[in-house]
Amino acid sequence: MGQTRKMVQPSSHADWSSGGKRKMRRGGAVGVGIEENILAIFDDSHDSQYSHDDRLAFLEAVRATSIVAEDRTPPTTKMFETIFQIFRTEKSLELIMASFQLLNELEQSFPRVYSDAGAASKASSTSQPELVVDEEAWSPFTLTADSERATSKGSSAKTIGPSAFHRIIQDLAAELNDTSVQPSDIRSLRNMLLFQYLVTVLEGEFLARMSIYKETMQWTIIRESTLNILLGSRRINYKGLLKDCLSVICGLHKILAGCGDGLKFSEASTEKSSKDSRTSLAIALPEVEEGTCTVMQKLMIMIMELDILKKQADIKCFTTRADGVRTPLLETILDEVTYDAGNLSTVLQVFNHPKWKLELVLQYFSKYIVKPTVRTRRRLSDSAEDATFHGTLRSLGNMNSVRSVVKKISAEAVQLLLAHGFQAHLALSSKHYQYDDISDSKAKDSSLREISEEMISAFNNLRKTDGYISICSTFRINIGISFSISGVILFPCMPLISITQAHGDITDCKRSTVCCIDNPLKKAIEVSRVHSHAIGL
Amino acid sequence: MSSRLDFELDDPLVNTHVPAKRRKKVIGLDDLLADHYKEEGKRIEVKSKRKKPQNNDSSDDEDNTKEAHLSTALDRYHKQMQDMGSDDEVTNWGLRVFGTQKNPPDSDFSELRSCELLQSFYDNNLDSLVGLNREEGDAFLEGLLVNGWLLKLVTTQNHVEAVVAKWTFNLMMFSSRGQLRTRACSFWCDIFSLENEDDTSYFKIDWVPNYSELRRALDIYGYTHDLSSNSTFSCADSQHVGPSQNIRTWIKFVTASCQVRSKRPMFSSAEAEELIEVIVSLFLDRQLEGLSASLYKCMLATISYFTDEEWNISCEKVAKSIANRVPRDLNCLRAVECISGVDPRSKSLRSKVAYQILTAYLDFQIASDEEILNTLISIKVDERSCDLFKVYIYLILTENWLLWGSKLDDKPVICEMWRVLLRNCSCLIPSTDLRSYALKIRDRASYLLHCSSIN
């Protein structure tokens, strides 16, 4: 019996290399013979050590032919489906990790969408890179309406549709924010890994499409991206999805910030295997949570990038009514943060991507700083476009506007925003950060010295308002990060000013700062005293 | 024994139930019983099985005497199976690499309060302004670290003071506060990656942790380098048995520090060799199963740490030393399979490790490839006395050695011998063979044979 199952007639590689302009397969898929042979390893029987080993052997065999072999061939759809099924249904950590690893490796080795830039540049240097979409390639997403309907009926969905995607995020949010549930079971771990994998898939495709879009400016390239289709699907509540994303990322951040005083075992168990698996879960969980937090940030950044691209396309009238209208993610975040001030600190901390952190800070301020010019809230989005950190600081140099801002949002929030804005600004203007697009002008528009001085003057104005003093005294006592919140604002300005004061140009003097920090620092304080009417030392 | 049971062999009741339990490859009860009494060392699911025959007893009372016989025979049969099952229980990989955790070193960072970073505050009377008092200097620095400011300050000055470096390293390796250790780890990783990305940036770091610091941290986590004498650690104090959560930051730090070799060679090649061994043994601990993704990354980084010349020598050395250390059971297969093989180096390491374990297993000091294969071919897999567990390990090791190493195309003799071995394993073992590992060997061999006929 086994004989017939295992012995498959050898056959030659199937030839897939033909195809239309945008349907191409690089190389051939795994030959039919190999597919059957590998799939034969995979046994459908359940609950036995044998099937566990068979599954591992199957994953290892796919890995050998598709990743390790010198002539790598992508697995067939059926093989992909099997791996994905193992990933989504198995309960053993070993199998989940192995299939997760394999799926990610396959994703890297065989991108579904990629730029044909190499070939194009050979043919002629002027031609634009072409987008190559492998339509035949398996994807974990199903975006057509029919299949979505089919999958919502059957529980054994082979791929993920828009509503299933939203459900995954909802589940994550529910698990994270329900403190009564100990999220230590394998299901929540697998759910997070599944989410990570799905975002990796979305990201790979979206980045490839975006790089080509930047050269060709064809909106259809972006419109056809899985991310855009997914978000535009009527099967999900878009706003709800964004809120769930935000709640996941905040929940994760809170857990990670407070987590981990060694390993805790709820009960002492004498059984070796179960204790092992509990320990391995306890060790794996923070790792997976960290990864999920990073990946969620990636997803949100992609959505924000998509919002900007869509807006650009709107302006150029490339979009049609079919593209629909979506509230930009940044606005959703701002709304959430405005209504729940406790979230502000979390959101600012969790978004460590400087470009978007600065964007968030600027848009937040632009809501509350009344500009002396004719700009009104009606043109909010336009004014946000050309707002800069420098400009924001300049308005905070004005005592009246500081008073009105502090009335609307607390001085604590202003401090927080300024601190994070300054941090993001520093990161953007540092030479290490490779910025490539819109916001580089925002970071570069003024020298660090000016910024630092304006920081100090804004800080002083804050001190003069009544609200500041009371808040300051309380948070010095109790909030854990109080030191850094206030330290964050002023302290970094000092060495910066000292550098700029002593040498004029920041890049020239970095090397010599170490030795001459003391003296110029004093100078710097004098400068800042003059500029900002006595700091009050 | 089997003659006593002749009258039962045709019983349809038993025939319908028992084969369904087994994987579909099993033909029927006759083979099953006959083989069962002949062979030993087979594993089988027992519990569910025991119930069914009993149900049959109650539901069907046509022929009582026959059934009484049947049930007693079956009971005996199950009992024996249970006994055999327990003989055979250790069938999975997994070692305890971590024993009892030791206490982290008492580190006194009082000099942290007088470090340059903080000193500049006091010198300029800024301390009151930022809410800093002298007793809480380290708490202030913790705030800076958690909020990412420490890295900013350090990059402005391109200088990391020794005390700050030691303090962050200590947090990363021994802090029980998750956020602090993660942030301290990303502080170091960011510095390394800044140095890596940018040719012009170089940090003046007054103190850089060396290999012995890393080993010391591992020892404190309870790591034991000796895998062979893997006695189970006493589980009396379950709070402190097993790896510490800090192992995650340890792995990340090693990965990052291997990646800055061009700027900052931190290990000698002997030390890097030992790191590879450590990583392999971490793979063997089931408690770290969930970290396999970061362990893979770490392994690749460590392997690429070597220069080409170093690697030629080190690869062999690492392989030998791993072969000497891993126990001769399924763990040695795990040790081979954890080497990812995505790049040529790890591929050749995997092949070499498999080869070394194989020769150590066969007890060959120096042998030609042909001799090894000849020995393997001469094993009579169809004989009852043959230790199939060993054969299984040999087969997988040989597979890894031959298929992951240099191409077989230019070695027709080896290639042909490999096929003979595979044919032996796949054809001499019948599909009804119930010895444990018989079917595994058979399936594996026929799969490999098939693959080799395609390529």
Side-chain angles (χ1 to χ4, degrees):
Chain A
M1 282 187 250
Q3 188 117 12
T4 49
R5 195 168 67 95
K6 300 289 176 189
M7 290 301 187
V8 180
Q9 284 304 307
S11 69
S12 60
H13 286 249
D15 183 21
W16 294 85
S17 56
S18 62
K21 274 177 198 169
R22 300 184 57 195
K23 285 187 192 177
M24 274 174 57
R25 246 186 207 268
R26 281 189 308 179
V30 169
V32 176
I34 296 189
E35 181 200 61
E36 283 181 39
N37 201 27
I38 292 182
L39 281 172
I41 302 174
F42 178 77
D43 196 292
D44 252 339
S45 63
H46 287 290
D47 332 307
S48 77
Q49 181 64 34
Y50 281 130
S51 88
H52 178 268
D53 288 355
D54 282 347
R55 273 147 222 252
L56 271 182
F58 165 75
L59 295 175
E60 188 65 23
V62 175
R63 202 164 173 277
T65 46
S66 296
I67 305 283
V68 179
E70 264 151 44
D71 46 343
R72 294 176 176 189
T73 45
T76 58
T77 304
K78 207 168 171 200
M79 285 154 73
F80 258 123
E81 279 171 358
T82 314
I83 307 170
F84 197 53
Q85 192 201 332
I86 292 178
F87 180 42
R88 293 186 64 197
T89 54
E90 278 303 325
K91 288 187 184 67
S92 110
L93 186 59
E94 189 182 9
L95 274 173
I96 291 176
M97 292 309 292
S99 48
F100 174 67
Q101 170 100 7
L102 179 62
L103 283 170
N104 276 318
E105 280 177 317
L106 288 172
E107 187 60 32
Q108 256 180 355
S109 307
F110 308 105
R112 252 160 256 110
V113 173
Y114 51 94
S115 147
D116 202 13
S121 62
K122 262 181 221 161
S124 73
S125 54
T126 51
S127 72
Q128 285 175 328
E130 201 182 339
L131 187 74
V132 187
V133 181
D134 188 348
E135 307 268 4
E136 314 246 314
W138 177 85
S139 157
F141 290 103
T142 319
L143 297 171
T144 50
D146 296 345
S147 47
E148 168 80 3
R149 222 168 289 133
T151 52
S152 60
K153 276 179 198 161
S155 58
S156 61
K158 280 183 180 162
T159 48
I160 306 285
S163 53
F165 184 69
H166 189 182
R167 209 157 42 239
I168 291 169
I169 298 177
Q170 269 175 332
D171 286 352
L172 282 181
E175 270 163 23
L176 288 169
N177 292 316
D178 185 1
T179 44
S180 62
V181 179
Q182 193 67 28
S184 57
D185 70 331
I186 195 97
R187 246 194 82 251
S188 77
L189 185 115
R190 187 174 55 207
N191 219 1
M192 285 194 267
L193 287 177
L194 174 62
F195 174 72
Q196 287 185 25
Y197 169 64
L198 293 177
V199 175
T200 314
V201 171
L202 287 177
E203 190 195 20
E205 193 206 318
F206 186 71
L207 291 186
R209 283 179 186 270
M210 200 161 83
S211 72
I212 294 185
Y213 172 78
K214 278 187 179 147
E215 311 232 357
T216 60
M217 301 308 274
Q218 287 171 357
W219 168 243
T220 43
I221 290 179
I222 298 292
R223 176 160 51 202
E224 284 169 8
S225 69
T226 313
L227 181 68
N228 188 42
I229 300 173
L230 196 68
L231 296 179
S233 163
R234 282 195 212 155
R235 295 184 166 272
I236 58 168
N237 170 359
Y238 179 69
K239 192 121 184 173
L241 176 78
L242 298 188
K243 281 184 182 171
D244 285 331
C245 286
L246 203 59
S247 123
V248 167
I249 203 168
C250 289
L252 278 172
H253 182 78
K254 276 172 196 153
I255 288 178
L256 288 172
C259 95
D261 303 319
L263 301 177
K264 286 195 183 106
F265 300 109
S266 47
E267 73 227 49
S269 168
T270 46
E271 207 184 329
K272 186 188 159 215
S273 63
S274 76
K275 185 169 173 294
D276 266 4
S277 62
R278 251 185 305 131
T279 321
S280 58
L281 262 181
I283 290 186
L285 208 63
E287 177 82 12
V288 176
E289 280 166 350
E290 252 174 62
T292 310
C293 195
T294 318
V295 155
M296 182 54 98
Q297 188 173 309
K298 273 187 189 165
L299 175 68
M300 291 171 86
I301 286 173
M302 273 196 292
I303 296 178
M304 292 192 277
E305 298 274 3
L306 181 65
D307 288 339
I308 287 190
L309 294 181
K310 186 151 182 269
K311 199 171 167 192
Q312 284 175 354
D314 272 338
I315 293 167
K316 290 178 185 155
C317 300
F318 291 145
T319 52
T320 62
R321 278 179 61 195
D323 282 315
V325 181
R326 295 198 294 258
T327 325
L329 174 57
L330 206 56
E331 279 178 33
T332 313
I333 297 179
L334 279 176
D335 284 350
E336 289 290 298
V337 164
T338 313
Y339 295 124
D340 183 0
N343 265 343
L344 178 64
S345 151
T346 318
V347 168
L348 284 173
Q349 277 183 46
V350 102
F351 267 89
N352 47 31
H353 193 283
K355 175 183 160 187
W356 292 105
K357 191 186 252 187
L358 188 61
E359 200 66 43
L360 188 68
V361 169
L362 293 181
Q363 292 215 11
Y364 197 101
F365 271 129
S366 73
K367 273 179 141 180
Y368 296 103
I369 292 180
V370 183
K371 294 266 163 71
T373 53
V374 286
R375 281 181 181 138
T376 58
R377 284 197 63 163
R378 205 159 45 84
R379 293 187 58 207
L380 180 91
S381 54
D382 298 327
S383 65
E385 271 306 298
D386 51 358
T388 61
F389 191 56
H390 186 58
T392 306
L393 281 176
R394 208 176 308 155
S395 8
L396 288 177
N398 177 343
M399 198 57 213
N400 288 335
S401 64
V402 172
R403 281 215 182 87
S404 71
V405 170
V406 169
K407 247 178 242 164
K408 288 172 197 153
I409 48 177
S410 67
E412 192 189 353
V414 176
Q415 284 184 77
L416 210 56
L417 286 166
L418 276 180
H420 283 279
F422 184 60
Q423 196 176 34
H425 182 89
L426 265 185
L428 284 173
S429 51
S430 101
K431 59 176 174 167
H432 301 302
Y433 185 72
Q434 301 293 317
Y435 41 84
D436 47 332
D437 39 25
I438 332 151
S439 65
D440 59 347
S441 55
K442 287 183 189 177
K444 276 196 147 176
D445 67 333
S446 51
S447 74
L448 278 174
R449 177 188 166 164
E450 274 177 88
I451 292 284
S452 303
E453 285 171 10
E454 278 161 357
M455 279 294 291
I456 294 173
S457 118
F459 184 72
N460 276 323
N461 285 341
L462 269 178
R463 278 172 69 90
K464 282 180 205 156
T465 62
D466 297 338
Y468 172 67
I469 292 156
S470 62
I471 284 165
C472 186
S473 57
T474 49
F475 77 48
R476 266 195 197 160
I477 299 162
N478 48 38
I479 306 174
I481 50 167
S482 67
F483 293 103
S484 47
I485 288 182
S486 48
V488 133
I489 296 178
L490 243 194
F491 178 44
C493 311
M494 292 305 151
L496 281 173
I497 295 173
S498 69
I499 293 161
T500 44
Q501 182 60 23
H503 296 269
D505 179 17
I506 184 155
T507 46
D508 280 348
C509 64
K510 271 195 177 167
R511 276 159 234 102
S512 53
T513 325
V514 188
C515 48
C516 62
I517 184 147
D518 281 345
N519 189 23
L521 191 65
K522 278 176 187 152
K523 258 195 228 167
I525 291 161
E526 300 213 347
V527 172
S528 58
R529 272 202 184 112
V530 173
H531 276 271
S532 56
H533 324 292
I535 286 176
L537 296 175
Chain B
M1 252 214 228
S2 56
S3 60
R4 260 200 288 154
L5 295 167
D6 275 346
F7 67 96
E8 295 154 347
L9 293 182
D10 298 318
D11 192 317
L13 276 176
V14 186
N15 263 339
T16 50
H17 288 290
V18 179
K21 251 331 67 32
R22 216 56 70 72
R23 313 169 86 215
K24 287 147 206 156
K25 290 157 207 163
V26 180
I27 280 174
L29 184 64
D30 44 355
D31 295 314
L32 187 136
L33 282 181
D35 283 336
H36 164 68
Y37 286 116
K38 263 186 256 154
E39 316 291 348
E40 285 199 338
K42 147 193 58 171
R43 292 175 319 103
I44 204 132
E45 301 281 321
V46 179
K47 280 183 194 163
S48 58
K49 234 169 206 189
R50 184 156 40 186
K51 283 177 193 161
K52 291 207 171 167
Q54 284 167 352
N55 288 344
N56 294 341
D57 285 348
S58 58
S59 62
D60 191 353
D61 31 316
E62 293 250 289
D63 192 345
N64 285 331
T65 45
K66 202 172 179 182
E67 259 184 29
H69 276 289
L70 177 68
S71 70
T72 44
L74 279 177
D75 278 350
R76 201 168 52 237
Y77 165 87
H78 290 310
K79 212 175 169 192
Q80 284 189 4
M81 295 233 277
Q82 240 168 339
D83 295 345
M84 275 184 275
S86 61
D87 290 347
D88 210 39
E89 195 161 302
V90 187
T91 50
N92 223 329
W93 59 270
L95 293 177
R96 281 301 180 89
V97 178
F98 287 93
T100 313
Q101 288 179 38
K102 297 179 188 118
N103 289 329
D106 294 327
S107 37
D108 179 27
F109 287 105
S110 52
E111 76 252 56
L112 198 62
R113 287 171 198 160
S114 55
C115 75
E116 266 181 51
L117 272 174
L118 291 180
Q119 205 55 47
S120 57
F121 279 96
Y122 305 129
D123 288 352
N124 300 293
N125 298 326
L126 282 173
D127 43 344
S128 64
L129 189 67
V130 294
L132 163 70
N133 54 31
R134 280 181 191 263
E135 288 71 43
E136 287 169 336
D138 31 2
F140 181 75
L141 277 179
E142 274 177 17
L144 290 182
L145 177 68
V146 168
N147 288 296
W149 280 110
L150 197 61
L151 182 70
K152 293 269 157 17
L153 292 172
V154 161
T155 40
T156 356
Q157 304 182 351
N158 276 5
H159 177 220
V160 184
E161 288 170 69
V163 61
V164 175
K166 278 183 191 158
W167 174 68
T168 44
F169 180 77
N170 200 60
L171 283 182
M172 170 167 67
M173 291 300 165
F174 306 115
S175 174
S176 58
R177 286 165 63 193
Q179 199 180 23
L180 273 183
R181 63 169 173 256
T182 326
R183 287 306 175 133
C185 181
S186 46
F187 172 76
W188 278 97
C189 293
D190 286 346
I191 286 182
F192 286 154
S193 73
L194 284 178
E195 285 192 321
N196 233 9
E197 280 163 18
D198 196 339
D199 283 340
T200 54
S201 55
Y202 182 81
F203 286 84
K204 181 170 172 277
I205 307 181
D206 293 345
W207 179 85
V208 181
N210 55 18
Y211 179 72
S212 63
E213 300 281 342
L214 289 171
R215 263 319 291 271
R216 193 171 64 108
L218 269 190
D219 290 339
I220 288 167
Y221 303 157
Y223 173 79
T224 164
H225 199 58
D226 185 16
L227 297 178
S228 50
S229 67
N230 198 256
S231 55
T232 38
F233 299 101
S234 67
C235 292
D237 186 8
S238 67
Q239 288 289 324
H240 294 284
V241 173
S244 143
Q245 283 279 6
N246 297 63
I247 190 69
R248 295 191 300 120
T249 40
W250 189 92
I251 295 171
K252 280 193 191 126
F253 180 77
V254 169
T255 314
S257 53
C258 283
Q259 283 162 348
V260 282
R261 160 106 204 214
S262 55
K263 291 280 177 61
R264 198 178 281 286
M266 284 169 59
F267 313 113
S268 70
S269 60
E271 286 165 350
E273 284 163 22
E274 214 173 306
L275 272 180
I276 297 183
E277 287 172 42
V278 170
I279 297 162
V280 168
S281 48
L282 294 187
F283 264 111
L284 293 178
D285 195 325
R286 277 209 173 259
Q287 299 177 94
L288 299 184
E289 240 178 355
L291 301 185
S292 56
S294 18
L295 279 172
Y296 269 116
K297 265 185 222 145
C298 188
M299 170 89 89
L300 285 178
T302 325
I303 288 177
S304 49
Y305 180 80
F306 298 88
T307 62
D308 284 339
E309 299 84 60
E310 284 169 355
W311 181 246
N312 289 335
I313 308 160
S314 294
C315 180
E316 203 74 44
K317 268 161 77 183
V318 172
K320 270 193 187 135
S321 149
I322 292 176
N324 287 332
R325 285 179 56 224
V326 290
R328 309 274 156 81
D329 51 29
L330 287 177
N331 284 302
C332 74
L333 297 188
R334 169 78 178 173
V336 171
E337 279 165 3
C338 73
I339 305 170
S340 77
V342 284
D343 62 340
R345 275 190 188 184
S346 63
K347 220 166 162 180
S348 75
L349 179 64
R350 183 160 168 163
S351 164
K352 288 211 167 80
V353 171
Y355 174 79
Q356 292 295 345
I357 297 178
L358 186 65
T359 48
Y361 222 135
L362 294 170
D363 215 13
F364 280 134
Q365 291 307 320
I366 303 150
S368 70
D369 297 352
E370 285 84 355
E371 277 176 85
I372 297 174
L373 282 169
N374 257 330
T375 319
L376 294 179
I377 291 169
S378 64
I379 298 175
K380 302 244 179 317
V381 284
D382 47 344
E383 271 179 17
R384 252 180 61 188
S385 57
C386 176
D387 184 350
L388 286 185
F389 176 67
K390 272 192 174 175
V391 177
Y392 177 69
I393 289 183
Y394 292 155
L395 180 70
I396 305 281
L397 287 175
T398 318
E399 174 201 344
N400 277 285
W401 158 43
L402 292 177
L403 300 187
W404 294 63
S406 51
K407 276 253 166 198
L408 281 180
D409 298 344
D410 46 349
K411 293 181 215 153
V413 183
I414 301 283
C415 203
E416 198 37 55
M417 291 176 87
W418 168 233
R419 281 181 188 222
V420 172
L421 176 63
L422 290 179
R423 240 171 267 135
N424 272 357
C425 291
S426 62
C427 302
L428 293 182
I429 299 178
S431 62
T432 50
D433 198 328
L434 285 178
R435 292 177 291 174
S436 57
Y437 289 99
L439 285 179
K440 281 185 145 213
I441 295 171
R442 189 174 174 280
D443 291 353
R444 191 84 199 151
S446 49
Y447 165 71
L448 289 170
L449 195 62
H450 177 64
C451 283
S452 71
S453 65
I454 289 177
N455 290 331

